[in-house]
Each structure stands twice: as structure tokens, then as C-alpha cells.
Amino acid sequence: MNEAYAIPAVTVVVLATVLIGGFGLRISRTTSDFYVASRTVGPRLNAAAISGEYLSAASFLGVAGLVLVHGPDMLWYPVGYTAGYLVLLVFVAAPLRRSGAYTLPDFAEGRLESRRVRRVVSMFVVGAGWMYLVPQLQGAGLTLQVLTGAPRWLGGSLVAAVVVLAVAAGGMRSITFVQAFQYWLKLTALLVPAFFLVLAWRGAGAAVPPDHTVTDLPPTGAGAGRPLATSRADHPLYATYGLIIATFLGTMGLPHVVVRFYTSPNGRAARRTTVVVLALIGLFYLLPPLYGWLGRLYAPELTATQDADATVLLLPGRMIGGVAGDLLGALVAGGAFAAFLSTASGLTMAVAGVINQDVLPTRGVRHFRLAVVLSVVCPLGGALLVDGVPVADAVGMAFAVSASSFCPLLLLGIWWRRLTPPGAVAGLFLGGGSALLAVTLTVSGVATTGWLHTLLAWPAVWSVPIGFLAMILVSLATPDSVPAHTTATLTRLHLPEDLRIAGPRRSRTGLASGAGPDVPRHGRGDLRDLPPTTGTGPPGAGPTAKRPTPRQKGNR
């Protein structure tokens, strides 16, 4: 690929990210702007931002690489990534927004009235966020290496630096505009080259080209070898079930996805946002499989290396060539970097919010910026130390941990009144903990073939049931631990805002917490300046304010 075109494209994307983030900083005037964009992000803008951060390196590069290596069986990846939002729409989106929280630990403590549950959820949010950040930084390193021959650590370090600047500058308000812009950039970066690639294939008479060598790629040293998930060849049916369960159920618990729903004005807007997201990501996911299929024709030798994720980057030069191929390749390269930056920004925002609220001894915007740095440094170290895991496989592992921990917590917390703090803790540790252990053993190479490797590489089949069963059985065994204000809290989660005339007193996370002086104060964050979550009553009156009577309206 011609560096004279690719490097300026990446530079433009980086500069646009910084400039748009700076615009967000100019309009971020309150703590509410910084953490939840004052809960005023409309469905269209929010859907574009969610799609921008959700369509990560696994979507932009990894799906095509897996289709190249393993064939059409890997189409379950884009299907699962999209269908996960359907599950989120039906069961989680509106109640989660009505909770008034802005992090998963906020929701957990408000629902279960337990500081212990909050601490455990915080630990899992940070772990899952870091696990998801690692492949984004690795993908950036691969992209910059293919473009320029630079060492792989440089791309990850560049993305980390830009993300710290964008997130620390203006918080949620900044990255909302950045991610919305980057969604449309990523869609364009795949759609336009795909059109010309199909024309080139048709112009060649749909002939199969001769095999290529790997001279287009810089040397990767000891990195050559088969991809991690070779267990698909041994037990493909089990791997497919593991993939389906992880992607269908893992989406609802991803910290960077959940946090965006707290920016919606109300539950109805959260549902509308999810519907638009389904359309946007469904459109996008039509494209990566096409690149994977063309890669099987024009870059088959990549199946023997760990560089299958570079298929999308190499195809324009392989199939079109010349200046046109270089320009299209530069567009793809810019889109790839947009994928890394947008997802990494969302993950950093989610993890930094938890670190700021639950780890650092002091809180506030100034200390949030310190949390941003901590959120990026650790996964950057992991990206430099761990290599050789295909991007989509690594992200799939993060989905498995999320499906085994946060999915049971959210579904049971929203829809089952008998959930108790001991049950939640047991499910998190047994379900999410077992999935996390399996992922760790897989990456460390404890088992590389056979059923043991298959069970560890695709743990969702057994870890998700363990998480649900542990929460249910332990909760049934501890009925005296059901939170005292469960009925009031669930009423708040399920009652539409326009029907809620008056309700229980609001806790600091926004969740209903009953009445009386003994109600615990939930959450460590200073959210007192957040706007009311129901959209009723005068500004600052909170969700329990009564709507004005017709006479009162006439007096205004």
C-alpha cells in the first residue's frame, strides 16, 4: 500500500477526532454535560454514536478476516452482533434509562441497595472494558504496520494518546459527536471501495486470480501461525453455539454500550435509539463478509498467517492497483483508524467513570481525567505483551464474559423481584468469573486442541447458565435479603415517564429508594446537578415532581 496516500488519510482522521472533541469541550459546561451529556442526546444522534463505538476493530477488520479463514460459518458474528441489540431493545433499554443511573455499578447498587454488589460490578466493568480495549489497540498496531511498516506498538500507542485527549477534554458530550462522525466515516470507508471491488471482480469475468505471496505485508517475526480459534475445525457446532450465546446476550452488558443509554432523555427515546441502531449496524454488517469472500479469492495466503485481519486493507491494492487502488486503500485505512478510535473512546469513558467513582479516593471532573489515563495505560500494556489473538476472537471473549455476568444481573435485576445481593454476587463470580478464567487460560495457551481448548475458548455455552442458576438459587436461599424497596424500584423501572405523576423518593443514582429517613444514599458520584430523568415537573424537581395542573399551566 502506498504510504503517500495512507498516512495522510490516517492523519486526517486523527485530527478530525481531536477537533470534534474540542468542539464538545466548548459546549460541555456542567458536570452533567461531562458525564451523561445532560441526558439530552436524541435518538438519531445517539444511535449514530452507539453504532460508531460498537462497530469496533472486530467489525471493521476481524469479521472479514474470520470469513477469509473459516468461510461462511463466521457469518454468525455479524448476525449475533446485530441481534444482540434486539434482545437489548426488548428487555433492557427503557428500564435501564429509567433507572437514572449512569454506570452499571450505579444501577446495581440502586437496585439491590448493596455497596458490596457495587464493588463487585465495578471490578467486572473494569475487567471487561480492558479486555475489549486490548484488541482495539492491537488492531491499530496491525493497521499502521501494514500501512507503513512501523512496529506494532506504535499504532496502539497513537490510538491511546488520541483517546486520552478526546475523552479527557470534554467527556461524554465530546465523544458523542466524535462517535457519530466516525460511524458515517466507517460506513463510507467500506461501502465506496466495496462498490469498486465488485466492479473489478465482475470486469475480470469473475475469474479466480492466481495465488499471491505475503510480500504485501511487513515481516511479523515469530507471529506466523494459525489463528487462535482452531477449535472450530474440531467442534464447529459447539463453537457456533458458543458464539451465538455470547453475542446475543453479551451486547446488553458491554459497559460502553450501556453507558450511552443513560444519555437518552427518557425510556421511550432509549427504545427509539435502539431501533435506529439496529438499522445502522445491520446496514454496516452487509459489507465485512463481502470483503472476506473476496479475500478468499484474492488473498488466500493470509489464511496461513496471523494477518488475516489485514484483508480489508490489502484488497484495494490487490484487485484494482494503481492510483485508484491506493486512494481506496487510504480510505479504508482511515475508516479502520476511526473504528479503533471510536470504540476505544467509548470503552475509556465507561471504565474511567467507574474508576473515578469507585477506585479513586476523590471524585470530580479533574480526577476523572486521571481515571482516563489509568483506563488506557493498563490495556495498552496488555496489547503490547499479548499478541497472536485474532481481533474478532478477542472481542468474542469479552462478549462471553459480559454475557455470563452482566446479562444475568440486568435481566434478573429488571424483571425478577426476588433477586438478592448474595445471589447477584454469587452469579457474578461463578458465571463471569468462570468465563474470565476460561479466557485467561485460552490466551495463555494452556490447551491448544481438543475439547478442553474448545470449552475454554467458547465458554458462554456453560458459563451463562452458571451465572443465571447461581443468581436464582442463591437468591431463593436468601429470601430475607430481598431489598426493602424492591417494589418501588421496579415500579420506577417499568412505569413510563409520562404516567409517573408522583413516586418514591429518588436516591442519588436516580433509582427509587422508598421513603423514610433510613433510606441508604446510593452511589458515590456527585450527581446532584443532573437533570430530572422523567421529563416532568420543573427543572431540578427530580422524577417525583408532580406535573402542573391545567390551572397552573394557565398561570405561567
Side-chain angles (χ1 to χ4, degrees):
M1 187 178 295
N2 194 330
E3 298 179 13
Y5 297 97
I7 294 179
V10 173
T11 303
V12 168
V13 172
V14 171
L15 291 177
T17 299
V18 174
L19 291 176
I20 296 174
F23 171 76
L25 174 62
R26 293 182 61 188
I27 62 177
S28 293
R29 304 184 184 279
T30 66
T31 304
S32 175
D33 280 333
F34 201 88
Y35 286 111
V36 290
S38 291
R39 305 192 192 274
T40 58
V41 184
R44 293 181 182 178
L45 177 59
N46 210 10
I50 291 174
S51 302
E53 69 177 355
Y54 186 68
L55 298 172
S56 63
S59 301
F60 199 92
L61 301 179
V63 171
L66 287 177
V67 172
L68 166 69
V69 175
H70 300 287
D73 289 346
M74 295 301 99
L75 293 178
W76 276 112
Y77 266 100
V79 171
Y81 288 152
T82 306
Y85 273 96
L86 182 60
V87 180
L88 191 150
L89 168 66
V90 173
F91 295 107
V92 174
L96 192 62
R97 170 57 189 90
R98 294 186 190 117
S99 72
Y102 75 96
T103 65
L104 272 174
D106 282 343
F107 170 84
E109 185 184 8
R111 168 63 178 86
L112 297 169
E113 302 174 21
S114 169
R115 294 287 301 167
R116 181 187 178 195
V117 174
R118 181 188 182 96
R119 287 191 292 268
V120 174
V121 173
S122 298
M123 179 181 66
F124 274 93
V125 167
V126 173
W130 282 349
M131 187 184 304
Y132 210 128
L133 268 169
V134 168
Q136 310 309 315
L137 301 178
Q138 288 180 332
L142 171 65
T143 300
L144 201 62
Q145 184 185 48
V146 171
L147 296 177
T148 67
R152 290 204 177 188
W153 62 265
L154 183 59
S157 302
L158 176 61
V159 167
V162 175
V163 165
V164 168
L165 289 175
V167 177
M172 183 63 77
R173 183 71 76 178
S174 289
I175 67 171
T176 295
F177 295 109
V178 168
Q179 291 168 340
F181 158 74
Q182 287 170 338
Y183 166 77
W184 295 109
L185 174 61
K186 285 183 282 189
L187 181 63
T188 303
L190 283 189
L191 184 60
V192 173
F195 175 77
F196 288 100
L197 292 178
V198 171
L199 288 181
W201 175 73
R202 294 292 296 175
V208 178
D211 289 344
H212 292 269
T213 63
V214 293
T215 54
D216 292 346
L217 289 171
T220 55
R226 296 291 296 172
L228 174 72
T230 54
S231 59
R232 290 192 184 93
D234 299 330
H235 308 287
L237 184 60
Y238 176 91
T240 300
Y241 285 136
L243 171 63
I244 292 173
I245 294 173
T247 53
F248 274 46
L249 301 181
T251 300
M252 73 177 64
L254 294 176
H256 64 304
V257 171
V258 171
V259 74
R260 288 230 58 97
F261 284 95
Y262 302 135
T263 65
S264 296
N266 50 52
R268 179 178 298 176
R271 280 203 175 103
R272 290 177 177 173
T273 297
T274 311
V275 172
V276 180
V277 169
L278 278 168
L280 293 180
I281 64 176
L283 174 63
F284 180 91
Y285 277 129
L286 295 174
L287 299 173
L290 174 63
Y291 280 83
W293 170 68
L294 291 173
R296 292 176 72 87
L297 298 178
Y298 289 87
E301 79 287 347
L302 294 181
T303 60
T305 73
Q306 288 180 332
D307 294 310
D309 292 330
T311 305
V312 174
L313 301 171
L314 297 177
L315 278 178
R318 289 277 181 93
M319 296 182 62
I320 298 176
V323 175
D326 291 335
L327 290 174
L328 292 175
L331 180 59
V332 172
F337 250 77
F340 310 136
L341 290 170
S342 59
T343 302
S345 297
L347 288 166
T348 301
M349 183 74 198
V351 174
V354 173
I355 292 178
N356 185 37
Q357 294 291 313
D358 299 291
V359 177
L360 297 180
T362 54
R363 291 163 297 282
V365 172
R366 183 165 59 90
H367 295 92
F368 177 85
R369 293 189 170 104
L370 173 60
V372 169
V373 176
L374 296 177
S375 300
V376 174
V377 169
C378 291
L380 178 60
L384 299 178
L385 294 175
V386 179
D387 197 9
V389 181
V391 172
D393 278 345
V395 170
M397 293 175 183
F399 270 76
V401 174
S402 174
S404 305
S405 53
F406 302 132
C407 173
L409 177 68
L410 288 170
L411 287 181
L412 295 177
I414 291 172
W415 297 99
W416 192 47
R417 66 179 60 251
R418 301 177 68 180
L419 181 65
T420 66
V425 171
L428 288 169
F429 276 118
L430 293 178
S434 61
L436 185 60
L437 178 61
V439 167
T440 303
L441 294 176
T442 300
V443 174
S444 62
V446 171
T448 57
T449 58
W451 266 110
L452 179 59
H453 173 66
T454 302
L455 293 171
L456 294 177
W458 301 100
V461 174
W462 51 269
S463 59
V464 171
I466 287 176
F468 273 102
L469 285 175
M471 286 194 186
I472 293 172
L473 295 178
V474 175
S475 294
L476 293 176
T478 57
D480 295 338
S481 299
V482 174
H485 309 101
T486 296
T487 299
T489 299
L490 292 180
T491 299
R492 175 175 176 79
L493 295 180
H494 295 286
L495 188 64
E497 289 85 353
D498 55 356
L499 298 179
R500 192 184 304 133
I501 298 176
R505 194 171 61 145
R506 183 188 184 189
S507 68
R508 294 186 70 184
T509 61
L511 282 167
S513 57
D518 58 339
V519 176
R521 301 284 288 179
H522 301 310
R524 296 177 63 189
D526 185 7
L527 305 182
R528 289 171 293 181
D529 62 340
L530 294 184
T533 62
T534 62
T536 61
T544 62
K546 294 183 179 181
R547 290 183 293 182
T549 64
R551 183 172 182 178
Q552 288 173 327
K553 289 182 180 179
N555 292 334
R556 289 186 176 179

